[in-house]
């Protein structure tokens, strides 16, 4: 290879390693996880009555009933819940949530909790499906099979209960897609999905998966069944969390997306598998399932979900201001706080009312309550402290003040990491934040009740203004932006309306304190709230000793939507010049950003590599049509790198400027800042193609030397009856038994052996050497040229190698489905044939093409060039266009088009053989 090819290859290796290391590192640096392990005493009762009479898949899958050993009987005694596992998931994943539901319903074995003493409540019967860890994310027919079995399971479960019984469905990962596919169903009360990619399949190798997603989009838009999606954020490396956000959130149908980083009481990113056992998440899911059984309408069920799985972005419907009116003449004596002063109540005892006169100008009122409650919002196991807020007018009466925001925020301990590794937050932690915008009146009355010496209350009027920074993406790219903060305030907001909020971008924020001051003595050390989407919020401790904060977002992502702009930073603190933070520095984070790119463009790299190979083959095929000689792959790659690659880099930049739909190109809809991604990816995939060819060259040469000792000379014969019979048998097997991916793998192995067996032995320098002088049509000349007798043989061998290189890069597109079939065959045996893809036309062209190669023929030869007015080499341009434009979003299209592109010259060869009456091809 030339120095340029070697350089591009090294660049590709280093870039790939850097992207991998950055991607792995983001779990700890971008969104560390803080979850307590959950414990249980599980047992599973097989539902043997759910047999073949209910579903033909009963031999392959099974249905189980979970029971907490020692806490409840094995008999059915409550309301049904169905858990659907995801890709490679297990029925046993239900145990954490089911155990929490049991131990919340009972205080001890068989002892009912006082919270559920009403006759309306019943314990939950958790049913769970066992899919034998099928790889449903890669294969549409497998998803269909799971949907059909789950639908039959719901019908069976409902027969075990009274006719008006409803069932709650929980789905993890791809199990959430299966759960959504069960709709419409009159007896499904609600669906809770966990780490489910609702809008974009995590693997796009099968057309049927896209069809299922399209059908689900219709259900998500119209079906009245409440659906809530829990998302793990950047900690989830298996599913890009921007695809976890439900596509429609409105008032007509209940659709909510909640990130665990904002989930009250959780405040942490949660990994994909950890989502089902993270205690801070599972107990809230279990509690919501317990409460759903007493809700009878979709609106009531939505209210339950908003109450127990809430992120504070919306006021829960369960919050009621009441109709109480304070009469200051009969209420206990109140304490007046001087105008402009802050309300500060440490260790409150008993009941007392505080009167805060309104400032001269309209402002925001902010109130914090530690460990207590405002209205119905409080930490779990809160202390008796209760606070009410009233707006007082001209008369001696006050009415309840309506909050614009009422939520629970974390209160991390200064000096400790947040979230605490393997611990996270405690249910009793947190500070309730009450916000009321544009307060107009004479005063605000704060009523503090049931104080027992614990907790504290802080409140103040804040000027209703937001600090706005107009910095843009290119302004922050190579410089640091400094933002000054107001001094000694409870609440401040900073808006960045121009900066991108995309899953591809990460910023680094550093708090500045001069001089440093300890945060240990303050009531609430500063907490930074980063909000980039109505469903996504992240919290970070803000003190000088904390690690740099990496701000990231899932407000938008490639192939989903146009990159969103704007985010807001909100700082909560108890004042007291807390930690003396007076400035924030924000800059672009290259390392964090690199970590986001690799996991989102893996399939794009595979698709674009096929595009590069197609362009290389197109050029070589053009020379073959012109001169009858085919340049070696090394020479063609060298020519591509020197001549075509610079042109393609400029072309990729130009295309990236176009506002293409999100499903095309790299899915960034012409966003200017993300334009350089295209040439960078093109350089990386070109290097990968060069490295792949280098590895194939070494392997072919090595196997040739090893097998030459045992291999006998092969004589080509004109009769290929046996070959035709073999291909017919293979096609029959594909049609009735095995997926076509198995046949493609066999084709690849067979063609690899053909390249090994037919490798010419050159006495001196090989024409494949890039150092050999070449003519304008890349034909070797001079002393480096091969003997005349080898020219034709070398040309045909090169054509075989082009096909080998193309099939090598098509193999990753077929391998995932092949893995699904092997995995299913190992667990389900003969039943696996019902899930195989039997489209014989996807592989038939390759079957014939490799047979051509095995007898010395090739698709590049020109026996029909004088008969047909066009050359099938133009199909390679079509393949390249598809691979670059739509392949990253719909990878399966690349293989389908490749089959057609290879199939056209195959048909022309067969027609040429028939018309000319010769057997040079078969």
């Amino acid at each position: 290879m030339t120095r340029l090819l070697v350089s591009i290859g090294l660049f590709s290796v280093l870039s790939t390693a850097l992207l991998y290391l950055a991607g792995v590192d983001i779990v700890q640096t971008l969104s560390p996880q803080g979850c307590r392990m959950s414990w249980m005493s599980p047992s599973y009762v097989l539902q043997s009555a759910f047999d073949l009479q209910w579903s033909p898949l009963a031999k392959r899958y099974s249905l189980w009933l979970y029971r907490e050993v020692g806490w409840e009987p094995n008999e059915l005694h409550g309301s049904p819940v169905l858990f659907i596992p995801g890709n490679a998931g297990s029925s046993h994943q239900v145990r954490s949530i089911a155990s929490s539901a049991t131990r919340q319903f009972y205080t001890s074995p068989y002892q009912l909790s006082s919270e559920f003493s009403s006759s309306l409540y019943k314990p939950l019967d958790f049913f769970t499906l066992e899919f034998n860890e099928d790889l449903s994310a890669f294969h549409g027919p497998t998803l269909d099979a799971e949907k059909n079995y789950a639908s039959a399971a719901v019908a069976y479960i409902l027969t075990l209960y009274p006719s008006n019984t409803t069932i709650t469905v929980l789905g993890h990962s791809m199990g959430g897609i299966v759960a959504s596919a069960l709709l419409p169903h009159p007896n499904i009360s609600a669906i809770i999905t966990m780490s489910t990619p609702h809008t974009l399949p995590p693997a796009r190798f099968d057309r049927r998966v896209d069809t299922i997603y399209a059908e689900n989009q219709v259900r998500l838009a119209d079906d009245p069944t409440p659906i809530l999606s829990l998302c793990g954020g950047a900690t989830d490396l298996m599913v890009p969390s921007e695809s976890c956000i439900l596509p429609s959130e409105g008032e007509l149908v209940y659709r909510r997306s909640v990130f665990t980083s904002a989930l009250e009481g959780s405040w942490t990113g949660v990994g994909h598998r950890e989502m089902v056992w993270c205690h801070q998440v599972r107990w809230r899911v279990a509690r919501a399932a317990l409460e759903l059984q007493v809700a009878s309408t979709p609106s009531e069920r939505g209210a339950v979900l908003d109450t127990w799985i809430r992120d504070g972005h919306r006021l829960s419907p369960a919050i009621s201001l009441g109709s109480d009116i304070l009469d200051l003449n009969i209420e206990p004596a109140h304490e007046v706080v001087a105008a402009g002063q802050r309300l500060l109540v440490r260790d409150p005892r008993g009941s007392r009312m505080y009167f805060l006169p309104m400032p001269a100008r309209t402002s925001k009122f902010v109130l914090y309550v530690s460990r207590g409650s405002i209205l119905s919002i409080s930490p779990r196991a809160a202390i008796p402290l209760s606070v009410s807020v009233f707006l007082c007018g001209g008369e001696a009466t006050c009415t309840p003040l309506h909050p614009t925001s009422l939520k629970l925020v974390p209160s991390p301990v200064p000096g400790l990491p947040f979230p605490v590794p393997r611990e996270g937050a405690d249910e009793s932690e947190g500070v309730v934040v009450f916000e009321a915008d544009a307060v107009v009146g004479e005063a605000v009355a704060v009523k503090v009740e049931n104080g027992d010496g614990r907790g504290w209350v802080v409140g103040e009027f804040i000027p209703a203004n937001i600090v706005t920074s107009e910095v843009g993406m290119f302004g922050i790219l190579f410089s640091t932006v400094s933002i000054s903060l107001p001094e000694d305030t409870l609440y401040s907001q900073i808006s960045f309306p121009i900066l991108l909020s995309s899953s591809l971008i990460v910023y680094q924020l550093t708090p500045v304190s001069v001089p440093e001051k300890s945060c240990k003595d303050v009531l609430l050390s500063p907490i930074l709230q980063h909000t980039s989407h109505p469903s996504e919020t992240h919290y970070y401790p803000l003190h000088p000793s904390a690690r740099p904060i990496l701000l990231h977002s899932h407000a938008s992502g490639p192939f989903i939507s146009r990159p969103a702009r704007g985010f807001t930073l909100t700082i909560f603190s108890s004042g007291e010049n807390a930690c003396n933070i007076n400035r924030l520095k924000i800059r672009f984070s290259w390392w964090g950003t690199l970590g986001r790119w690799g996991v989102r463009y893996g399939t794009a790299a595979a698709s674009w590599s096929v595009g590069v190979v197609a362009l290389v083959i197109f050029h070589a095929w053009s020379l073959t049509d012109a001169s009858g000689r085919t340049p070696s792959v090394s020479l063609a790659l060298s020519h591509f790198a020197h001549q075509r690659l610079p042109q393609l880099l400029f072309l990729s930049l130009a295309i990236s400027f176009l506002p293409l739909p999100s499903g095309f190109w790299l899915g960034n809809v012409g966003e200017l800042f993300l334009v350089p991604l295209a040439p960078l990816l093109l350089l990386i995939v070109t290097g990968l193609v060069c490295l792949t060819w280098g590895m194939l060259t070494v392997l072919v040469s090595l196997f040739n030397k090893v097998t030459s000792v045992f291999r006998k000379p092969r004589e080509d014969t004109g009769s290929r009856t046996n070959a035709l019979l073999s291909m017919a048998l293979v096609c029959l097997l594909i049609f009735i038994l095995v997926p076509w991916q198995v046949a493609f793998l066999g084709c690849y192995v067979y063609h690899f052996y053909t390249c090994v067996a037919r490798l010419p032995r050159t006495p001196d320098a090989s024409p494949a050497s890039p150092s050999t002088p070449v003519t304008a049509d890349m034909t070797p000349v001079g002393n480096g040229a091969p003997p005349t007798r080898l020219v034709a043989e070398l040309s045909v061998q090169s054509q075989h190698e082009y096909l080998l290189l193309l099939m090598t890069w098509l193999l990753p597109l077929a391998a995932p489905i092949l893995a699904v079939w092997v995995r299913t065959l190992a667990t389900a045996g003969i039943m696996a044939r019902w899930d195989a893809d039997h489209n014989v036309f996807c592989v038939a062209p390759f079957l014939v093409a490799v047979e051509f190669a095995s007898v010395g023929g090739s698709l590049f030869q020109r026996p029909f060039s004088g008969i047909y007015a066009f050359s099938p080499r133009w199909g390679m341009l079509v393949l390249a266009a598809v691979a670059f434009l739509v392949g990253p979003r719909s990878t399966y299209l690349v293989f389908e088009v490749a089959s057609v592109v290879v199939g056209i010259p195959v048909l022309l060869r067969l027609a040429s053989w028939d018309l000319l009456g010769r057997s040079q091809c078969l």
Side-chain angles (χ1 to χ4, degrees):
M1 289 188 179
T2 63
R3 291 182 180 178
L4 179 59
L5 294 184
V6 173
S7 300
I8 295 176
L10 289 176
F11 173 80
S12 179
V13 170
L14 293 176
S15 299
T16 303
L18 195 65
L19 290 169
Y20 173 78
L21 293 175
V24 172
D25 189 53
I26 63 174
V27 176
Q28 296 300 325
T29 60
L30 196 63
S31 182
Q33 178 178 282
C35 284
R36 291 206 304 280
M37 180 66 74
S38 53
W39 303 95
M40 68 291 298
S41 51
S43 67
Y44 306 89
V45 181
L46 176 65
Q47 301 301 291
S48 55
F50 185 52
D51 52 19
L52 291 173
Q53 295 180 353
W54 288 92
S55 171
L57 294 166
K59 286 186 177 180
R60 177 175 173 182
Y61 300 140
S62 55
L63 177 67
W64 300 78
L65 172 67
Y66 177 90
R67 279 294 178 253
E68 189 78 355
V69 176
W71 286 73
E72 56 186 344
N74 285 343
E75 295 77 18
L76 298 179
H77 58 279
S79 299
V81 177
L82 178 64
F83 176 82
I84 306 177
N87 180 65
S90 167
S91 60
H92 290 189
Q93 289 176 306
V94 73
R95 61 185 183 268
S96 297
I97 298 173
S99 174
S100 179
T102 299
R103 297 187 184 223
Q104 289 185 64
F105 191 82
Y106 299 102
T107 55
S108 59
Y110 302 98
Q111 297 298 316
L112 189 65
S113 170
S114 59
E115 293 182 274
F116 301 101
S117 58
S118 169
S119 60
L120 297 176
Y121 290 100
K122 298 178 182 179
L124 298 181
D125 297 325
F126 273 87
F127 293 87
T128 178
L129 298 175
E130 178 55 68
F131 291 141
N132 297 319
E133 301 183 1
D134 271 357
L135 303 176
S136 56
F138 302 96
H139 197 215
T142 298
L143 270 179
D144 275 330
E146 293 183 356
K147 180 197 72 173
N148 294 335
Y149 188 76
S151 179
V154 169
Y156 166 77
I157 292 170
L158 292 175
T159 63
L160 306 177
Y161 297 87
S163 59
N164 60 344
T165 300
T166 59
I167 184 171
T168 302
V169 180
L170 310 181
H172 175 247
S173 187
M174 296 303 290
I177 301 300
V178 175
S180 301
L182 297 178
L183 301 177
H185 197 293
N187 295 97
I188 295 180
S189 61
I191 294 176
I192 302 176
T193 66
M194 295 162 279
S195 298
T196 294
H198 284 285
T199 56
L200 186 70
R204 302 177 287 278
F205 300 105
D206 188 2
R207 178 181 292 275
R208 179 57 188 155
V209 173
D210 265 4
T211 302
I212 293 173
Y213 266 73
E215 294 170 350
N216 272 6
Q217 297 308 303
V218 177
R219 299 183 180 96
L220 293 176
D222 301 330
D223 193 89
T225 305
I227 303 176
L228 185 142
S229 175
L230 271 170
C231 310
T235 312
D236 189 343
L237 294 182
M238 296 185 184
V239 171
S241 286
E242 60 269 23
S243 66
C244 180
I245 300 176
L246 287 168
S248 60
E249 295 191 10
E251 301 301 327
L252 297 180
V253 292
Y254 180 93
R255 301 290 182 263
R256 294 286 187 271
S257 301
V258 177
F259 279 76
T260 57
S261 59
L263 179 63
E264 293 182 348
S266 171
W267 303 306
T268 178
V270 177
H272 192 78
R273 291 172 294 183
E274 292 84 351
M275 181 66 77
V276 293
W277 61 254
C278 179
H279 173 71
Q280 285 86 340
V281 176
R282 62 125 184 186
W283 83 265
R284 288 185 174 272
V285 174
R287 183 58 182 262
L290 284 166
E291 299 283 354
L292 281 170
Q293 62 180 305
V294 300
S296 57
T297 65
S299 60
E300 291 177 355
R301 293 160 186 160
V304 169
L305 294 174
D306 278 342
T307 299
W308 293 103
I309 308 177
R310 70 186 305 267
D311 54 10
H313 288 294
R314 300 173 182 83
L315 292 177
S316 172
I319 297 175
S320 175
L321 298 179
S323 56
D324 295 339
I325 297 179
L326 280 180
D327 189 339
L328 300 183
N329 295 323
I330 61 175
E331 287 289 335
H334 58 265
E335 178 179 332
V336 178
V337 179
Q341 295 296 312
R342 178 177 301 153
L343 170 66
L344 175 58
V345 183
R346 294 176 181 266
D347 307 322
R349 294 185 178 276
S351 299
R352 194 172 185 85
M353 187 169 62
Y354 299 89
F355 191 78
L356 286 78
M358 195 72 63
R361 52 186 292 184
T362 302
S363 59
K364 176 194 291 283
F365 181 72
V366 177
L367 182 74
Y368 302 147
V369 175
S370 173
R371 304 179 63 187
S373 64
I374 300 180
L375 301 177
S376 59
I377 304 302
S378 67
R380 180 74 168 160
I383 61 177
L385 177 64
S386 175
V387 176
S388 303
V389 185
F390 299 86
L391 179 63
C392 302
E395 300 178 358
T397 58
C398 303
T399 58
L401 178 59
H402 192 285
T404 55
S405 176
L406 182 61
K407 60 186 173 184
L408 193 68
V409 301
S411 55
V413 179
L416 293 180
F418 177 81
V420 179
R422 290 180 290 185
E423 290 295 332
D426 187 84
E427 287 88 336
S428 61
E429 295 177 0
V431 173
V432 182
V433 177
F434 177 102
E435 299 177 39
D437 289 333
V439 176
V440 178
E442 290 194 355
V444 167
V446 177
K447 189 174 184 180
V448 180
E449 300 177 285
N450 304 321
D452 61 358
R454 295 177 291 172
W456 47 262
V457 179
V458 176
E460 187 179 28
F461 290 102
I462 306 295
N465 62 337
I466 299 178
V467 178
T468 301
S469 174
E470 299 294 337
V471 63
M473 291 303 302
F474 292 99
I476 203 174
L477 186 59
F478 297 106
S479 62
T480 300
V481 178
S482 181
I483 304 295
S484 297
L485 299 179
E487 295 183 1
D488 192 26
T489 182
L490 301 185
Y491 180 99
S492 57
Q493 273 190 320
I494 307 166
S495 175
F496 296 89
I498 302 178
L499 294 182
L500 287 176
S501 287
S502 168
S503 60
L504 298 174
I505 303 296
V506 177
Y507 309 96
Q508 179 175 305
L509 183 143
T510 305
V512 179
S513 174
V514 182
E516 292 188 4
K517 180 180 179 180
S518 173
C519 299
K520 294 183 179 179
D521 297 328
V522 299
L523 297 177
L524 176 63
S525 60
I527 295 295
L528 178 71
Q529 173 188 280
H530 171 222
T531 304
S532 57
H533 186 272
S535 298
E536 184 177 19
T537 291
H538 301 271
Y539 295 95
Y540 306 93
L542 201 63
H543 52 82
S545 62
R547 61 180 178 84
I549 296 169
L550 296 179
L551 304 176
H552 61 283
S553 170
H554 299 91
S556 61
F559 312 114
I560 294 179
S561 63
R562 184 181 184 86
R565 290 188 178 274
F567 59 87
T568 302
L569 303 179
T570 305
I571 300 175
F572 304 105
S573 74
S574 56
E576 311 161 284
N577 202 18
C579 303
N580 204 24
I581 303 295
N582 58 5
R583 279 188 301 134
L584 298 179
K585 290 185 176 182
I586 183 171
R587 63 182 181 86
F588 188 81
S589 174
W590 287 97
W591 183 251
T593 299
L594 286 177
R596 307 285 274 173
W597 289 355
V599 296
R600 284 162 176 80
Y601 286 124
T603 55
S607 176
W608 278 30
S609 296
V610 174
V612 169
V613 173
L615 291 176
V616 172
I617 293 177
F618 173 78
H619 175 68
W621 204 331
S622 299
L623 294 177
T624 304
D625 285 350
S627 65
R629 295 181 180 180
T630 303
S632 67
V633 177
S634 297
L635 283 173
L637 285 173
S638 179
H639 180 270
F640 175 83
H642 284 89
Q643 303 295 327
R644 297 288 180 257
L645 183 58
Q647 300 171 1
L648 288 175
L649 291 175
F650 283 109
L651 180 61
S652 67
L653 279 173
I655 296 176
S656 297
F657 281 107
L658 299 177
L660 299 173
S662 60
F664 288 82
W665 197 237
L666 294 181
N668 294 321
V669 199
E671 172 56 47
L672 180 62
F673 186 77
L674 299 175
V675 163
L677 275 174
L680 175 62
L681 181 60
L682 182 57
L683 275 175
I684 292 176
V685 300
T686 301
L688 291 176
V689 170
C690 296
L691 291 173
T692 302
W693 173 241
M695 294 173 58
L696 286 174
T697 301
V698 172
L699 290 174
V700 168
S701 178
L702 179 62
F703 275 88
N704 178 265
K705 292 180 180 179
V706 172
T707 59
S708 62
V709 179
F710 310 99
R711 189 173 61 246
K712 296 181 180 180
R714 180 174 177 177
E715 297 182 0
D716 297 338
T717 61
S719 174
R720 303 302 298 169
T721 304
N722 292 337
L724 292 175
L725 290 176
S726 299
M727 283 188 285
L729 178 61
V730 170
C731 291
L732 181 62
L733 288 174
I734 295 172
F735 188 74
I736 64 174
L737 185 60
V738 301
W740 62 262
Q741 289 86 357
V742 175
F744 182 77
L745 178 61
C747 281
Y748 182 81
V749 173
Y750 183 59
H751 188 61
F752 181 85
Y753 174 76
T754 296
C755 293
V756 169
R758 292 189 172 273
L759 184 67
R761 298 183 180 181
T762 56
D764 298 308
S766 169
S769 173
S771 61
T772 302
V774 295
T775 63
D777 65 352
M778 300 175 63
T779 303
V781 297
N783 295 331
T788 304
R789 60 184 177 83
L790 290 179
V791 170
E793 186 178 357
L794 290 171
S795 182
V796 171
Q797 176 66 13
S798 296
Q799 295 168 27
H800 297 167
E801 291 169 348
Y802 284 111
L803 182 59
L804 178 65
L805 182 59
L806 176 63
M807 294 179 68
T808 299
W809 277 106
L810 289 174
L811 191 60
L813 308 186
I817 309 300
L818 179 61
V820 172
W821 182 76
V822 172
R823 179 70 183 83
T824 306
L825 185 64
T827 58
I830 195 66
M831 283 298 295
R833 70 180 186 273
W834 301 115
D835 292 331
D837 188 345
H838 304 297
N839 187 358
V840 70
F841 297 105
C842 283
V843 73
F846 293 99
L847 288 172
V848 180
V850 299
E851 184 58 32
F852 284 164
S854 71
V855 296
S858 173
L859 302 182
F860 283 28
Q861 292 177 353
R862 300 186 302 160
F864 50 87
S865 60
I867 300 176
Y868 299 97
F870 71 95
S871 171
R873 72 175 186 273
W874 295 101
M876 288 296 168
L877 278 186
V878 175
L879 174 58
V882 171
F884 283 114
L885 290 175
V886 299
R889 170 59 178 83
S890 303
T891 315
Y892 57 85
L893 285 174
V894 178
F895 204 106
E896 293 175 358
V897 173
S899 298
V900 174
V901 168
V902 174
I904 291 175
V906 164
L907 292 176
L908 294 177
R909 283 285 170 187
L910 294 174
S912 174
W913 177 66
D914 290 336
L915 289 173
L916 300 179
R918 51 192 180 189
S919 58
Q920 64 217 31
C921 300
L922 287 176

